[in-house]
Amino acid sequence: MKRRKFIKSASLGGVAVGLSATVLACNDSEIKEIAKKETTKEPIWPIVIATWNVHRATQETWDAMQAGHQVLDAVEAGCKIEEADPKGQSVGKGGLPDRDGNVTLDACIMDHLGNCGSVVYLQNITHAITVAKSVMQDTPHVMLAGKGAEDYALSIGLKRENLLTEASKKAWEKWKEEAEYKPIINIENHDTIGLLAIDKDGTISGGCTTSGLAYKMGGRVGDSPIIGSGLFVDNEVGAAVATGMGEEVVKTVGSFLIVELMRQGMSPQQACEEAISRIVNKPGKNYEDFQVGYVAVNKKGETGYYSIHDGFWATIYADGENKNYASSFFNKK
Ligand code: ASP
């Protein structure tokens, strides 16, 4: 399918000048309505955008939407692809463990009505995103943690599994040979999947799932299950999702910030860049040691992605094309 041809939009100023004769005969709200129509582009729906190179996940989400599934379920289906892949060492099965050898998962999901669900410090269950969705839909709560989250997962029919694969165990054992028992920050250790989708009717949902920072302290929870930090969806405005050093995302409430900046008129790209600038311009400027990346989409289906360092990617499925895009980044050295 070819890229859509967009209606050429006039700027608000241009509209006012070009329509001055008509405008003279209109009241204020009619003028605003004319300007709005002239400046509105055809929306790029459906669309899927995700953190990193996850074309199988975006494909799954796209296909699920094409098959008529609800966008929330399509987002879950996409996230599950990465969770089930034992080769992915940062999500679900095969995720790198904490420093004690425990794989602990964080995930959250949010729909177009502002409903959300999340799980933190979940063990022995591959599909954290499914548990998060069920917390949202089937319980009066937003967040379940640890043993309670695991018990809940079992109660809805999910099976206990050993998430520590041989490869991840080996990597952890190697890490233990040299690592000091203190928090480490390493830009290689991040790979959360955050996935946002808009269906053909403009309904937005998003999900985020991770095994968190590799070799984290036992009990550590990152940004990924925290609504507003790791993920935020507002069906009127758009959505954003984060990856990277969760502590920095939490401190700046990154995803909510991006959505609010878009509400105030920024493009998704500008909003992602501003959210990164809030991190890198903090006193101390210690961003050399960690990576943060954001992806965002607005209600029109326009996308943005930006990171602190080189090496971040976004995957976008739009207009029938599923592609990876290298992100621009702040630290040009
Ligand atoms: N944001 C995740 C966390 O801090 C890590 C990641 O993106 O890989 O737990």
Side-chain angles (χ1 to χ4, degrees), residues 106 189-192 210 212-213 220 222-224 243-247:
D106 296 335
N189 282 340
H190 300 278
D191 228 359
T192 296
T210 189
L213 188 61
R220 181 265 188 189
D223 61 311
S224 306
T243 182
M245 182 56 73
E247 282 72 5

Side-chain angles (χ1 to χ4, degrees), residues 95-118:
L96 289 167
D98 66 15
R99 60 197 49 209
D100 302 315
N102 301 312
V103 181
T104 69
L105 308 181
D106 296 335
C108 73
I109 198 159
M110 192 162 182
D111 76 5
H112 62 293
L113 299 172
N115 297 310
C116 48
S118 92

Side-chain angles (χ1 to χ4, degrees), residues 85-281:
D85 181 359
K87 291 200 263 355
Q89 290 190 304
S90 52
V91 180
K93 191 183 289 178
L96 289 167
D98 66 15
R99 60 197 49 209
D100 302 315
N102 301 312
V103 181
T104 69
L105 308 181
D106 296 335
C108 73
I109 198 159
M110 192 162 182
D111 76 5
H112 62 293
L113 299 172
N115 297 310
C116 48
S118 92
V119 286
V120 305
Y121 199 75
L122 175 68
Q123 295 185 66
N124 305 311
I125 303 288
T126 299
H127 293 303
I129 197 74
T130 300
V131 190
K133 193 181 88 170
S134 183
V135 170
M136 173 182 123
Q137 292 183 326
D138 308 319
T139 82
H141 306 304
V142 161
M143 185 182 283
L144 291 181
K147 177 81 170 50
E150 187 179 335
D151 288 346
Y152 180 69
L154 298 174
S155 81
I156 60 168
L158 300 183
K159 299 278 170 272
R160 280 186 117 245
E161 287 179 82
N162 176 18
L163 304 183
L164 188 63
T165 55
E166 273 312 304
S168 289
K169 194 171 171 202
K170 267 200 188 132
W172 168 58
E173 274 159 358
K174 185 153 186 358
W175 174 82
K176 277 200 297 183
E177 284 167 19
E178 286 155 31
E180 292 174 62
Y181 199 84
K182 66 174 190 186
I184 53 162
I185 34 182
N186 179 342
I187 65 170
E188 301 303 322
N189 282 340
H190 300 278
D191 228 359
T192 296
I193 171 167
L195 191 148
L196 312 170
I198 310 182
D199 71 11
K200 64 176 180 21
D201 303 317
T203 308
I204 311 176
S205 289
C208 185
T209 181
T210 189
S211 52
L213 188 61
Y215 319 128
K216 60 198 172 187
M217 294 173 74
R220 181 265 188 189
V221 169
D223 61 311
S224 306
I226 310 293
I227 294 293
S229 293
L231 170 74
F232 199 71
V233 175
D234 184 321
N235 208 56
E236 298 295 309
V237 179
V241 70
T243 182
M245 182 56 73
E247 282 72 5
E248 300 301 319
V249 176
V250 169
K251 286 177 207 168
T252 48
V253 199
S255 295
F256 182 74
L257 172 64
I258 290 170
V259 172
E260 286 306 300
L261 291 169
M262 293 195 293
R263 188 195 307 280
Q264 289 161 28
M266 281 193 187
S267 69
Q269 186 62 34
Q270 288 168 331
C272 288
E273 291 180 19
E274 176 59 25
I276 291 292
S277 116
R278 300 282 173 99
I279 295 173
V280 297
N281 289 319

